[in-house]
Each structure stands twice: as structure tokens, then as C-alpha cells.
Amino acid sequence: MMERTTFPLAQADAPTHWYNLAADLPGPALAPALNPRTGQPLSRDEMAHTMPEPLIEQETGTAREFEIPEPVRQLYAQWRPSPLYRARRLERALDTPARIYYKYEGVAPTGSHKPNTGIAQAYYNKQAGKTGLVTETGAGQWGSATALSASFFGMSATVYMVRVSARQKPYRTALMETYGAVCVPSPSPETAVGRKILADDPDCPGSLGIATSEALETFAQDPSLGYVLGSAANHVLLHQTVIGQEALKQLESAEDYPDIIVGCAGGGSNLAGLAFPFIGAQLRGGRPVRVIAVEPAACPTLTRGTVAYDYADTGQLGPLFRMHTLGHQFIPPSVHAGGLRAHGIGPMITRVIEEGLMEAVAVPQVGCLEAGVRFARTEGILPAPESTHAIRVAIDEALRCRAEGSAKTIVFGLSGHGHFDLAAYQKYFAGELTDAEADEDMLAHAAAGIPRASGSR
Ligand SMILES: *Cc1c(COP(=O)(O)O)cnc(C)c1O
């Protein structure tokens, strides 16, 4: 009999709702975001300046489910349900008794999970009468998703892209422009924040925090624009839960269930999207699952950061969030997993870790690329550098299974393909890739800028 490697899910079985983990989380309610000027919890009225009403409800609400609007489901249907594969050739190459599955989000038009939320946010902003979107992007994946989503809804898009990434990935810029977006390398002379930073350091490589400040400043000056977020926010994590809900059903058809779920974590959205439906099932009395967040050693937000209220943006224009943070002034070394260079993480991820429902590890990039090459040579898909972090740890866990003789089920999130990231692979093959780690001085300096020492609830 043919061994099954794919577990397709019919369109009719695609999720109709997003799943909200806040409904099942034990302990106190999620800590509110704070107004940067008053230090008080953001009111709904204040949130309404930056977010359409339905997104505010999704950001703060505790309903277990939110219905996915029909036009959004229609657009998802172009590539969703995304495939779940069993990595049989990788298993054999590793000679492991573990069963390894991966949920592949690279089938989206822009090559990652990001359009799952881009389309939803564009839809709600369009409904609210906005005619354009503005945002920031690190590696360009979120910028591409914003550009795509804006074009689907006939909106304009302005994307501030971290300068070092724009330089590393010119084709990402070209893709955004193809969709009709304007892509601005950040820091830029177009905003007060950017001009100030350039005056101090004309060669500043940029950071997600700086690009966020530039996008927020542009947004504040033009009421026709909607500001959209690529990761970290509760509603973004919510939109990504289509991934895990599909995976639950696909694994059911495989007659399997994960012992271990692995995902790479930048702001935490693809990891949450895959893992939260399983964590929710566990909290409602289902099988326990070990969830592992993987971050780069160069930007060790979860493993070396502090839990505190901090800004998501360097310019301190936006609200403060209670989260694991390295400090909003932290500028990580320019590793190739540009999507994992955020100083902070989604507040929901922080809570899940505090509740003991998730663990975190940091891994250096060379070993990740090595795992990515191994994966490409066995499974055929070229992974995004971000995704190779999940592959590294999935392989390590499978090798542990071999050593222990235990046949565990490992499911990891393959958040995107690496077709725009071949420069990273070239460098790896040329032996030019190094394991840049965040050094103590950098970390201490940035930590000193965190406004509150402790993250009391
Ligand atoms: C953006 C991105 C990430 C990191 O973002 P999360 O919000 O943590 O998921 C990971 N992988 C890919 C391919 C990305 O584009």
C-alpha cells in the first residue's frame, strides 16, 4: 500500500471561525495595552483611532470564536486549506522512529502565513472607509502580504521596510511594487522619526521598531489610511488560527496527534496560529502537547528578555504592551531570518509561557540553515530562513527520539518558502554565514531603556 504523505482537507471543511485562546486561558485576564502618554489602559475610544471596531473586539474580546467574514473566506479559499505533509523522507534520513509532520504556509501567493491576517485587516479597514494601508516590514514578508491584500481590496499601500533587509532582498521590494505598493527603506527622510535617526547615524541599518514608528507617524497624519499589523497583536494571532484548526482536522485524518509542536517565533503569529487550537483543546480537557517556540540566538526575546510593559516601536508613538522584551531600543545583529528580529513578542505568547503551556529555545543561524538544506534535500521545499529555526528544533527532537527509542509525533510550522532568501543560502554554501549572537553589553543597554522594571499584572 502507498504510504500517505499528504493529508488534504476539503474546502467544505475549512474553518469558518477564528479561534480565540483568551476564552480558555486560565488565570487573570490579559494585561491591557497602555496609552503611551497617560500610562493608563487604552480605552476603546483610543483604540478606535487606530483600529476598526471589529478588530478592537477581536483584540480585546473573550468570545471563543469570531466568524470569518465571507469575502475573507473566499480569498483564503484560493490556497487554503494549506497542505499538511508527513516528512517521511526526512524521517528516513534521520533514521528516527518519530513521525514528523509539517504544515506548509508557503502556498500563499506571497509565500508565507502573513496574508491570513493581511486579508482580514484589509477587509475591515476597507469596511471602515479607509482607502489605503500603511505598515512596516522586516524581511518583506509582511509588506508583501499587505501589498497583496491592499490590491485585492482596491486600496493603496505604503510599506516602510527595514533598510538592511531592503538591501538584502531587492526582489521583495519589486514584488510589493508589482502589487502596486510604495516601499520606503527605513529609516527614511520622509518622517520626523526617520530624519532624527538619520541625523544621528546616516548608516543606521534600521530595525522593526524604527520602521513601526515611521509607519505610525505617516498614519497619524492621514485619516484616509489604515494602519495594519503583521504580528504580535492579539487579533493577528487570532487570524492565524486557521492554520492550527486545519492541522487538527488533517491530523485526525492521519489518525495521529502531536506530542510536540514546534514553531519559529518573531512576534509569535505563525506559532500561535498553529499551536493555540491545540493548547485550547488541552485546556478544555484534551491531550497535553509540548509546544516549543524557537527564536534566533541573535534576537533572544523569550530566552533572555524581561517580561515588562514596553513599546513596540522605537519612537514611543504607539502603546505599551506587557510582553517579553529586549527593550524597544534593541537593534539586533542583521541575521538572515529578518522576520525574527523583533525586540518584543505577542502578549498572548508571554501569557502562554507564564502559564507553563509553552517553552522557548534560542538557536544560532548556521545550524538552522544546515537544517534547512537537509530539509530541502529530503522534502524538496526550500524553507524561509525563519522557518529553518523550527526545522532545526524538529530535527533535534527527532534525533532525541532516536536516542531514546521513542516514537513521538512532531508537528512543525513551515511558515514560508525561501525563494526570495537565496542570498542566505548562497552565503551559507560559501561559508560566509556566522553565528552573530546578541552580546551582553547590547542586551544590558537596551534593557535599561525598558520603561518599567517589572511586568506586574
Ligand atoms: C514573518 C515571518 C515569521 C515570523 O513572524 P511570526 O509572527 O512570529 O510568525 C516567520 N516565518 C515567516 C516565513 C515569516 O514571513
Side-chain angles (χ1 to χ4, degrees):
M1 208 182 80
M2 287 266 286
E3 290 181 323
R4 284 184 73 188
T5 56
T6 61
F7 302 91
L9 188 65
Q11 200 80 73
D13 294 325
T16 55
H17 292 71
W18 293 300
Y19 166 67
N20 184 14
L21 181 67
D24 291 313
L25 264 185
L30 277 168
L34 304 182
N35 180 316
R37 282 171 300 282
T38 64
Q40 293 304 305
L42 267 191
S43 69
R44 276 184 96 95
D45 282 353
E46 286 167 336
M47 280 188 219
H49 295 309
T50 59
M51 256 191 261
E53 191 60 37
L55 290 178
I56 298 175
E57 190 52 39
Q58 292 169 12
E59 181 65 22
T60 57
T62 53
R64 182 167 286 125
E65 295 189 320
F66 289 96
E67 189 170 6
I68 307 173
E70 217 277 324
V72 175
R73 288 177 62 192
Q74 190 67 54
L75 288 165
Y76 281 176
Q78 184 182 336
W79 72 92
R80 308 209 70 85
S82 69
L84 178 83
Y85 296 109
R86 171 124 178 232
R88 292 194 188 261
R89 291 184 299 271
L90 177 63
E91 289 171 17
R92 279 197 280 274
L94 298 172
D95 191 24
T96 176
R99 292 180 298 279
I100 308 174
Y101 298 84
Y102 55 98
K103 178 76 167 155
Y104 183 43
E105 290 296 311
V107 291
T110 56
S112 84
H113 63 289
K114 299 273 193 334
N116 295 335
T117 185
I119 286 170
Q121 292 182 62
Y123 169 78
Y124 289 120
N125 275 285
K126 176 88 178 182
Q127 291 286 99
K130 304 290 185 180
T131 58
L133 301 176
V134 59
T135 196
E136 65 282 345
T137 193
Q141 285 274 20
W142 171 239
S144 306
T146 300
L148 169 80
S149 306
S151 74
F152 277 164
F153 289 101
M155 306 169 87
S156 71
T158 304
V159 179
Y160 289 92
M161 181 167 182
V162 176
R163 192 203 271 171
V164 59
S165 297
R167 230 182 261 144
Q168 280 172 352
K169 300 182 186 183
Y171 295 149
R172 274 282 164 203
T173 304
L175 180 65
M176 289 182 241
E177 288 170 350
T178 303
Y179 290 129
V182 174
C183 186
V184 186
S186 163
S188 81
E190 306 205 2
T191 65
V193 174
R195 285 190 294 275
K196 180 168 182 305
I197 289 166
L198 287 174
D200 291 347
D201 177 9
D203 296 323
C204 178
S207 71
L208 208 51
I210 294 170
T212 304
S213 290
E214 292 206 276
L216 284 172
E217 185 183 321
T218 303
F219 163 73
Q221 285 163 4
D222 185 345
S224 75
L225 298 180
Y227 172 67
V228 287
L229 284 159
S231 187
N234 299 340
H235 65 277
V236 174
L237 273 50
L238 175 88
H239 297 154
Q240 296 295 350
T241 59
V242 289
I243 302 173
Q245 293 184 72
E246 289 172 5
L248 260 167
K249 289 190 181 171
Q250 289 165 309
L251 284 161
E252 215 171 277
S253 86
E255 296 176 5
D256 216 335
Y257 200 86
D259 298 296
I260 302 172
I261 293 177
V262 186
C264 62
S269 75
N270 87 87
L271 168 64
L274 176 62
F276 280 8
F278 290 89
I279 293 175
Q282 170 182 340
L283 290 170
R284 296 191 304 277
R287 260 178 72 168
V289 54
R290 188 176 155 218
V291 180
I292 309 173
V294 190
E295 61 185 8
C299 189
T301 308
L302 294 170
T303 51
R304 294 173 77 185
T306 319
V307 176
Y309 268 107
D310 195 10
Y311 301 94
D313 69 305
T314 308
Q316 311 184 357
L317 301 173
L320 294 107
F321 299 94
R322 184 180 177 280
M323 59 185 178
H324 285 83
T325 178
L326 293 168
H328 59 278
Q329 286 151 2
F330 183 74
I331 298 181
S334 26
V335 288
H336 274 279
L340 306 182
R341 293 177 77 235
H343 68 270
I345 192 101
M348 289 266 263
I349 298 279
T350 290
R351 260 306 287 283
V352 162
I353 289 177
E354 287 180 317
E355 297 294 338
L357 298 164
M358 185 185 282
E359 49 196 273
V361 292
V363 290
Q365 68 175 353
V366 178
C368 293
L369 263 290
E370 182 211 326
V373 170
R374 189 159 204 184
F375 181 79
R377 289 180 184 177
T378 49
E379 294 298 311
I381 297 172
L382 180 81
E386 290 83 359
S387 314
T388 64
H389 289 69
I391 298 173
R392 172 76 269 162
V393 170
I395 288 179
D396 290 347
E397 288 298 325
L399 292 174
R400 191 198 310 272
C401 285
R402 180 173 76 181
E404 293 172 354
S406 64
K408 291 198 175 118
T409 297
I410 302 168
V411 177
F412 73 85
L414 186 59
S415 51
H417 69 60
H419 298 178
F420 291 91
D421 307 289
L422 284 161
Y425 285 88
Q426 276 181 324
K427 271 197 161 177
Y428 170 75
F429 290 124
E432 289 167 8
L433 214 58
T434 53
D435 279 336
E437 291 216 14
D439 66 64
E440 281 302 335
D441 283 357
M442 278 171 75
L443 290 171
H445 182 76
I450 298 173
R452 293 192 180 189
S454 88
S456 57
R457 287 183 186 169

